[in-house]
Amino acid sequence: MSVSKIAHVLLLLLVLISVNSNNGVKATHKVFKRFQSQSVDRVGPLHRTAFHFQPPMHWINDPNGPMYYKGIYHLFYQYNPKGAVWGNIVWAHSVSRDLINWKALEPAIYPSKWFDIGGTWSGSATIIPGKGPVILYTGLDKNATQMQNYAIPEDLSDPYLQKWVKPDDNPIAAPDETMNRTAFRDPTTAWLGKDGHWRMLVGSKRKHRGIAYLYRSRDFRKWVKSKHPLHSKQDTGMWECPDFFPVSLTDRKNGLDFGYSGPNIKHVLKVSLDLTRYEYYTLGKYHTDKDRYEPDGSSPDGWDGLRFDYGNFYASKTFFDSKTKRRILWGWANESDTVSDDNSKGWAGIQLIPRTVLLDSSGKQLVFWPIEEINTLRGKNVRIKNKKLKSGQRFEVRGITPAQADVEVTFNVGSLEKAEPFNPKWKNAQDLCNMKGSTEKGGVGPFGLITLATPDYEEYTPVFFRVFRDATAKKPKVLMCSDAKRSSIRTDDGNEPKEKMYKPSFAGFVDADFADGRISLRSLIDHSVVESFGAKGRTVITSRVYPERAVTKNAHLYVFNNGTQPVTVESLSAWSMKKPRKMN
Ligand code: DQQ
């Protein structure tokens, strides 16, 4: 091996080690044989969520084929009908009129033909104008070769589209000899080019290079791989669940459909990195003449890329809601406790609250916000105005159910003079959050919410900001953390000696200018999940947590300031959240 090759491999190893040590959301495809043979005999209710999407029992992972068709929202998802670990995967299917109240149907797609007998893995839905929806999904044959298939509704007059047919001319795309046959999956929603041809992407890798292969078709049946992939990036490993869509530079309210082309748009390419189980996206230009995508210089294309969510969030997928003209994001949050625990509680995995996706006014990142329909679940409300928090002070938010709540708060920090200097060596937000935590006094911050807490802080999950002065930039450097380190007193009791509950100090930097001294935070708290939106959705972090004492009526919610600089809670509104009903 040449010296440069050795240096390259070492660099890659270093990147992997550092990235892995900061993440490690649990792998999905690991097969836990011992647990696979066990079926669920009871469901542990303690940490089940109330208003998140979750089937009555068993394992779930990626959201698949979300779509809106003739008045109905459809959500399919990867589901193990037999147990609480990954395996036996089918496409479970639920429908809703409002994305909140759901009705579960029979699985839509399950292994039955030679081209999917080894597995029915992730994919997307496309609505063909004048014809109806088509699902593209990955099937595995008996040798575990991955290939792309299509399925169509058996009866288009059934409003719920319950039965799906897999025609015999499948597969529509199989790996050729230049491709990796076990790394070829997760087709995107297809889009129509100006030439009248459909396009879709399929995630893959060659050696360490992540790849989004592009396929074209005139009739949606015969698909041809284009000469070049849409995009690829060295040393990023397998790209799972790619997602590719346009966003408007000028329209701050509406999303754009997949095939939209016109002036004042950018494109987003998101990939889910199998190696580390986190995702990143770039903003860039889609050169439709060459069918190639080029990320903007300002969007890091690799491990340091921008993220939809800096926490427990994976295999996400967007769809265009033609009813309300929104682009809506679904993402899956795996459990963070041990596999034995998942098995004994009889369920694992939730879908997070769908989020709208828009381009930020800076044009340099996306912003996310829980869909407004979630507000229909808001119940009892408490409000607090203009409350000053001196250094080291906290107050409790009383009068709502803290384990099942929606909280919106706007802080005003006044001046940033006392902000600590930012050390340019601090490259990684999660390391920084882990190092400083929520109790080490800073100048401006840490301040924020303390969710799912016991009054003595034996257990607590703080979500907070810490503001630094950045000598090299005009703006302050703002760190946002959702720190699960002290979320549970449970000592790991998994049967496997190496199993440990995963309690990371998830964090991201926030592009907030504090021009008026203000920064906002919203957290959706639901028993074992805290989804937090900083600075109106510029940075989003999801944590899964498993308190032992801070549960149901014994959970508390606080607002705190551990910075030297006083902070004012300009306004706070918190709601108890209701459970959705079944769709009727
Ligand atoms: N999960 C699916 C795959 C996909 C992975 C299998 C991502 O299609 O690559 O359950 O979590």
Side-chain angles (χ1 to χ4, degrees):
M1 216 191 271
S2 70
V3 174
S4 74
K5 185 102 190 177
I6 292 171
H8 181 81
V9 170
L10 280 176
L11 184 72
L12 179 63
L13 267 176
L14 266 177
V15 168
L16 284 180
I17 290 164
S18 73
V19 169
N20 272 316
S21 66
N22 294 325
N23 197 275
V25 175
K26 280 195 293 176
T28 39
H29 296 159
K30 210 163 153 198
V31 174
F32 295 91
K33 272 259 164 354
R34 189 160 63 84
F35 295 124
Q36 281 221 333
S37 53
Q38 282 175 26
S39 54
V40 168
D41 53 10
R42 67 175 190 100
V43 169
L46 186 60
H47 293 119
R48 277 183 71 79
T49 61
F51 60 93
H52 281 73
F53 184 97
Q54 191 174 15
M57 55 172 67
H58 299 145
W59 163 276
I60 74 170
N61 57 296
D62 320 354
N64 291 155
M67 65 172 171
Y68 176 77
Y69 184 65
K70 295 203 171 158
I72 301 286
Y73 291 100
H74 295 255
L75 177 67
F76 305 86
Y77 55 94
Q78 298 274 285
Y79 177 61
N80 180 355
K82 295 190 183 153
V85 293
W86 185 85
N88 315 303
I89 294 293
V90 301
W91 276 48
H93 184 193
S94 289
V95 285
S96 168
R97 289 183 214 285
D98 55 10
L99 290 164
I100 301 291
N101 304 293
W102 292 89
K103 179 184 177 72
L105 306 172
E106 288 300 306
I109 299 178
Y110 43 86
S112 64
K113 302 255 184 164
W114 73 266
F115 48 77
D116 67 9
I117 199 68
T120 48
W121 289 14
S122 288
S124 310
T126 307
I127 295 165
I128 302 193
K131 288 203 171 145
V134 179
I135 282 173
L136 298 172
Y137 72 99
T138 300
L140 278 69
D141 70 6
K142 65 177 187 339
N143 302 317
T145 297
Q146 298 171 10
M147 51 196 76
Q148 315 321 316
N149 302 315
Y150 75 104
I152 47 177
E154 187 180 270
D155 176 8
L156 271 177
S157 67
D158 168 11
Y160 298 161
L161 306 174
Q162 292 172 83
K163 294 237 176 313
W164 290 75
V165 182
K166 301 177 283 193
D168 285 333
D169 54 352
N170 275 308
I172 51 165
D176 64 36
E177 63 291 346
T178 65
M179 293 155 71
N180 186 331
R181 69 171 187 93
T182 57
F184 178 56
R185 56 182 180 267
D186 309 338
T188 60
T189 296
W191 70 96
L192 256 185
K194 280 209 176 112
D195 55 5
H197 291 196
W198 289 98
R199 277 117 172 115
M200 68 157 163
L201 301 180
V202 183
S204 187
K205 69 168 175 185
R206 201 185 298 132
K207 296 211 171 114
H208 305 296
R209 176 176 283 271
I211 301 178
Y213 284 120
L214 179 85
Y215 282 76
R216 292 197 197 92
S217 172
R218 212 190 279 266
D219 58 4
F220 226 90
R221 289 208 151 89
K222 195 169 173 311
W223 290 82
V224 178
K225 180 155 78 72
S226 73
K227 205 162 146 215
H228 303 283
L230 181 89
H231 189 55
S232 72
K233 180 72 188 174
Q234 65 192 24
D235 298 340
T236 50
M238 172 65 192
W239 283 2
E240 297 187 316
C241 304
D243 197 11
F244 184 59
F245 55 87
V247 282
S248 173
L249 277 161
T250 46
D251 187 340
R252 302 261 168 256
K253 268 184 37 218
N254 297 310
L256 299 173
D257 204 349
F258 286 94
Y260 181 89
S261 70
N264 301 320
I265 63 167
K266 274 183 193 267
H267 271 77
V268 177
L269 177 64
K270 182 278 302 183
V271 294
S272 307
L273 302 178
D274 192 24
L275 274 175
T276 50
R277 314 305 291 173
Y278 75 72
E279 312 189 317
Y280 79 89
Y281 72 91
T282 50
L283 288 163
K285 184 161 177 51
Y286 174 29
H287 299 281
T288 46
D289 48 339
K290 294 180 260 175
D291 258 332
R292 294 191 91 159
Y293 169 75
E294 182 192 3
D296 286 350
S298 57
S299 271
D301 189 7
W303 305 109
D304 294 336
L306 292 163
R307 314 234 317 243
F308 286 179
D309 186 308
Y310 289 80
N312 189 333
F313 184 90
Y314 196 67
S316 69
K317 189 171 294 293
T318 63
F319 74 103
F320 180 69
D321 174 4
S322 57
K323 176 176 159 195
T324 60
K325 308 281 175 259
R326 292 172 297 181
R327 178 155 295 277
I328 296 178
L329 170 71
W330 279 102
W332 159 58
N334 196 357
E335 301 305 309
S336 289
D337 59 356
T338 65
V339 173
S340 341
D341 206 59
D342 292 351
N343 195 54
S344 61
K345 69 186 195 273
W347 56 272
I350 59 170
Q351 305 298 351
L352 295 168
I353 301 301
R355 302 165 183 176
T356 54
V357 182
L358 287 168
L359 188 65
D360 179 55
S361 52
S362 67
K364 292 201 174 117
Q365 66 159 97
L366 298 172
V367 282
F368 306 91
W369 200 245
I371 50 161
E372 63 186 25
E373 288 87 335
I374 196 73
N375 300 356
T376 60
L377 295 177
R378 286 173 167 176
K380 194 168 176 222
N381 176 230
V382 293
R383 281 164 194 265
I384 291 160
K385 280 231 172 295
N386 293 323
K387 199 165 166 115
K388 197 164 178 176
L389 278 172
K390 288 197 199 124
S391 179
Q393 281 188 330
R394 73 170 186 187
F395 68 83
E396 181 166 4
V397 180
R398 293 174 196 267
I400 52 138
T401 52
Q404 201 174 305
D406 182 358
V407 194
E408 287 196 68
V409 53
T410 302
F411 297 97
N412 198 323
V413 300
S415 127
L416 294 177
E417 260 165 50
K418 290 200 178 126
E420 307 149 80
F422 184 76
N423 183 341
K425 282 196 193 131
W426 295 333
K427 295 272 182 247
N428 184 291
Q430 195 165 311
D431 289 346
L432 184 55
C433 178
N434 189 31
M435 182 170 91
K436 300 260 179 201
S438 60
T439 50
E440 185 183 311
K441 224 184 208 43
V444 181
F447 61 88
L449 297 172
I450 297 184
T451 72
L452 298 171
T454 51
D456 57 2
Y457 282 0
E458 204 178 11
E459 292 186 324
Y460 64 106
T461 302
V463 184
F464 56 97
F465 301 110
R466 189 174 192 117
V467 187
F468 298 92
R469 224 171 330 110
D470 186 353
T472 61
K474 288 203 188 98
K475 283 182 180 178
K477 191 92 179 169
V478 183
L479 177 72
M480 175 173 162
C481 301
S482 176
D483 193 353
K485 222 175 349 187
R486 307 287 295 276
S487 55
S488 176
I489 51 160
R490 205 182 82 198
T491 47
D492 291 303
D493 50 4
N495 300 333
E496 312 276 335
K498 283 201 209 92
E499 270 192 297
K500 278 220 165 2
M501 193 192 277
Y502 180 48
K503 297 187 214 167
S505 307
F506 283 132
F509 291 112
V510 193
D511 187 14
D513 58 14
F514 278 104
D516 50 8
R518 290 196 182 92
I519 190 159
S520 70
L521 176 64
R522 178 174 182 187
S523 287
L524 296 166
I525 307 160
D526 195 2
H527 301 275
S528 62
V529 62
V530 182
E531 279 185 77
S532 302
F533 300 77
K536 303 201 166 79
R538 286 202 177 90
T539 299
V540 185
I541 312 180
T542 297
S543 291
R544 298 300 313 276
V545 290
Y546 307 90
E548 291 271 290
R549 310 224 162 120
V551 292
T552 56
K553 292 200 172 104
N554 298 324
H556 296 256
L557 173 69
Y558 300 93
V559 188
F560 80 103
N561 174 26
N562 281 338
T564 338
Q565 165 91 15
V567 168
T568 302
V569 175
E570 278 196 351
S571 64
L572 179 146
S573 208
W575 293 263
S576 296
M577 291 295 273
K578 293 179 270 191
K579 265 191 165 179
R581 285 166 289 115
K582 285 221 173 70
M583 182 188 104
N584 45 38

